[in-house]
């Protein structure tokens, strides 16, 4: 009986050591898996951060703007499918304080950014002229139906030249007269007067002297006259 009991105790002790070893191996494998997962996530974060650094500085604002435009387009399509007017539905979501704030911001905004280049000036002029145009769609469609393919001329198109209407000619003349009148009001280079006193050394100095004369001329007239006569004290 003593031998059997000793053998059973030894067997149970051996199994417990094996179980402990298995448990330690299992925990070691779990640690390896967690380390590999953390390494993988860390690598992904490094790659994403590198991508973000290579993006433009305003990329985040552009992304938010694109997301907003996509949502607006989805809402617009939903309103069109429901037979509703999108602008009216959009205004229903705007509060009175937001509308007032937007109106104040709109009034503060300078509509005229000034001269920045001839290309920008030409573009602004083109935009202003096209906004004034009010095409007659009935006449447009009638001409298109009458002329057929000749309505859109190409290099191979032959035939009579479309005749401009008297109303269109008058509108063009009126617009040219407005442009001429506007140009006549622009500041222009003043003509040189040979009879004026020369009290300057260059053009910049002449402008400076004119400013001084404008503001302080009435106080220095007598002193200037005495200096010219040589009687100044």
């Amino acid at each position: 009986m003593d031998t059997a009991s000793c053998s059973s105790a030894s067997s149970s002790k051996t199994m417990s050591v094996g179980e402990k070893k298995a448990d330690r191996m299992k925990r070691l494998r779990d640690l390896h898996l967690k380390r590999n997962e953390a390494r993988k996530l860390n690598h992904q974060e490094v790659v994403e951060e590198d991508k973000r650094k290579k993006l433009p500085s305003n990329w985040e604002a552009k992304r938010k703007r694109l997301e907003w435009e996509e949502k607006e387009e989805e809402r617009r399509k939903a309103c069109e499918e429901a037979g509703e007017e999108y602008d009216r539905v959009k205004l229903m979501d705007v509060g009175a304080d937001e509308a007032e704030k937007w109106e104040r911001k709109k009034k503060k905004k300078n509509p005229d950014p000034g001269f920045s280049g001839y290309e920008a000036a030409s573009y602004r002029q083109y935009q202003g002229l096209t906004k004034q145009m009010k095409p007659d769609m009935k006449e447009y469609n009638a001409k298109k139906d009458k002329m057929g393919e000749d309505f859109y001329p190409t290099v191979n198109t032959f035939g009579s030249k479309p005749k401009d209407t008297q109303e269109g000619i008058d509108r063009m003349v009126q617009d040219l007269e407005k442009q001429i009148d506007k140009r006549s009001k622009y500041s222009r280079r003043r003509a040189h007067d040979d009879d004026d006193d020369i009290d300057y050394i260059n053009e910049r100095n002449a402008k400076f002297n004119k400013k001084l004369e404008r503001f302080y001329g009435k106080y220095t007239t007598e002193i200037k006259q005495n200096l010219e006569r040589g009687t100044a004290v």
Side-chain angles (χ1 to χ4, degrees), residues 116-153:
S116 59
Y118 291 103
E119 184 178 356
S122 300
Y123 178 73
R124 286 176 54 197
Q125 183 184 21
Y126 171 78
Q127 291 291 335
L129 293 175
T130 52
K131 285 180 180 178
Q132 297 175 7
M133 295 177 62
K134 296 179 180 179
D136 188 353
M137 297 307 298
K138 291 183 179 180
E139 182 180 357
Y140 174 84
N141 292 325
K143 282 186 177 181
K144 185 168 66 172
D145 295 338
K146 181 179 179 181
M147 297 179 66
E149 295 182 357
D150 294 335
F151 187 76
Y152 303 102

Side-chain angles (χ1 to χ4, degrees), residues 139-203:
E139 182 180 357
Y140 174 84
N141 292 325
K143 282 186 177 181
K144 185 168 66 172
D145 295 338
K146 181 179 179 181
M147 297 179 66
E149 295 182 357
D150 294 335
F151 187 76
Y152 303 102
T154 63
V155 293
N156 298 322
T157 301
F158 297 96
S160 60
K161 183 180 179 181
K163 187 177 180 181
D164 297 323
T165 62
Q166 187 62 36
E167 182 182 356
I169 296 173
D170 294 340
R171 186 169 61 249
M172 181 191 68
V173 172
Q174 185 179 5
D175 181 70
L176 290 174
E177 289 177 350
K178 285 182 180 179
Q179 293 184 39
I180 294 171
D181 182 62
K182 189 175 181 180
R183 290 195 187 98
S184 65
K185 297 177 181 179
Y186 288 162
S187 177
R188 64 186 184 280
R189 184 182 178 89
R190 301 306 191 261
H192 176 69
D193 190 357
D194 294 332
D195 295 333
D196 284 347
D197 294 333
I198 300 177
D199 57 354
Y200 53 88
I201 57 175
N202 51 36
E203 187 175 353

